[in-house]
Amino acid sequence: MPEEPAPPTAPSPASSPASSADPLSGLWPLAPSGTTDWLAELCGDGTTGFMPPVMPDAAWVLNAMYEHERGPSELSYDDRHRARLADGTAQRCVIAGVDLDAVGVLTGGGLGRAEHPGPGWRRLRWVELAARLGDPVVPEGMLPCYRCFPSVKKDGSWPVGIVPPTEGSLDRATWNRLVAVLTEHSPAGPDTPCLAYYNPLMTGSYDFDNLHVRVGRLGDAELLYDTDDADFSPSNFWAADHSWLLCTDYDLWATKVAGPPALIEALLTDPEIEALRLPWAA
């Protein structure tokens, strides 16, 4: 594996005068763009995230989805939005000049950070929904994305009783639990130096020459979920010693984690995280 230039030393709270005023800047200062060079050499283009190559082992951590206690409804997100358009309680959804209402693509899925939807909602496991519908958890040859669970959709839109997985970002609960598992399986524990890369699509800068990277301690990684840099969890997050690497691609509903077998096994058996191996995307 190509060697990465030594990253800046992860700051400690005591040595960061800015930490009390701005915890993120104090604990996760910007790192040189060149700290991603090893990823570019190993993984190729990182516009939507540097997808990890073959490492000792890998698994896909699936973003959470939720179902209302009343269960799925015959009404889809698209149906509900059109009804609100008709009674004047909603505006047409037009993005980049495209009228999404006209083409019926209001699926109910979100892009970016996601929280638990609140009282009355429970975690719906991918494997549970797949068994209910008779769909595969992830169709063979595909990656976890909006093309999964075709049987649940009505004209491409999900029923309002289900909140689909968020796209391009881990949800908060999964991010926090993943950080905890990484901490348990990193030799330096919470003091493990780490780096976080946010792709230019997330930051809105579209600056592909000066990539946005932060450096800090694994024990402070929960802070990265609330950065003002982007409404997403990091595109890539890795230990400075390259022992593990994760990628949350901008277009996907899951995060690939590559690293030692013990870490991957811990993710596959964790009671809070839902993870699986994809033989065609190992």
Side-chain angles (χ1 to χ4, degrees), residues 80-256:
R80 185 178 69 178
H81 184 70
R82 290 178 184 275
R84 290 176 174 175
L85 283 175
D87 66 19
T89 58
Q91 295 181 335
R92 299 193 72 82
C93 186
V94 179
I95 297 178
V98 178
D99 187 344
L100 299 185
D101 298 293
V103 296
V105 295
L106 297 181
T107 65
L111 180 67
R113 291 189 297 229
E115 307 281 352
H116 188 287
W121 294 86
R122 69 174 186 90
R123 176 80 178 264
L124 176 61
R125 298 261 167 179
W126 288 48
V127 68
E128 178 186 349
L129 184 59
R132 181 191 303 173
L133 299 172
D135 288 339
V137 177
V138 178
E140 186 171 354
M142 290 176 51
L143 299 179
C145 66
Y146 73 95
R147 297 181 185 276
C148 295
F149 305 114
S151 300
V152 79
K153 302 169 189 173
K154 176 184 177 184
D155 297 325
S157 183
W158 285 57
V160 294
I162 298 177
V163 178
T166 187
E167 185 169 290
S169 174
L170 286 156
D171 56 280
R172 183 185 296 276
T174 303
W175 169 257
N176 288 347
R177 182 57 192 158
L178 178 54
V179 168
V181 176
L182 291 171
T183 302
E184 293 169 5
H185 290 269
S186 297
D191 291 324
T192 300
C194 297
L195 294 101
Y197 159 64
Y198 297 84
N199 77 61
L201 300 177
M202 291 179 170
T203 62
S205 66
Y206 304 105
D207 186 348
F208 296 93
D209 296 319
N210 299 291
L211 300 182
H212 194 93
V213 188
R214 289 187 178 274
V215 59
R217 295 170 61 254
L218 182 54
D220 299 318
E222 288 189 11
L223 286 174
L224 293 171
Y225 202 80
D226 294 308
T227 173
D228 291 333
D229 298 338
D231 291 328
F232 298 80
S233 62
S235 306
N236 291 96
F237 187 57
W238 68 95
D241 65 1
H242 303 174
S243 56
W244 50 259
L245 164 68
L246 66 82
C247 174
T248 305
D249 189 280
Y250 187 80
D251 295 321
L252 298 182
W253 284 2
T255 290
K256 185 177 182 180

Side-chain angles (χ1 to χ4, degrees), residues 13 16-27 228:
S16 300
S19 61
S20 59
D22 184 354
L24 186 68
S25 295
L27 298 176
D228 291 333

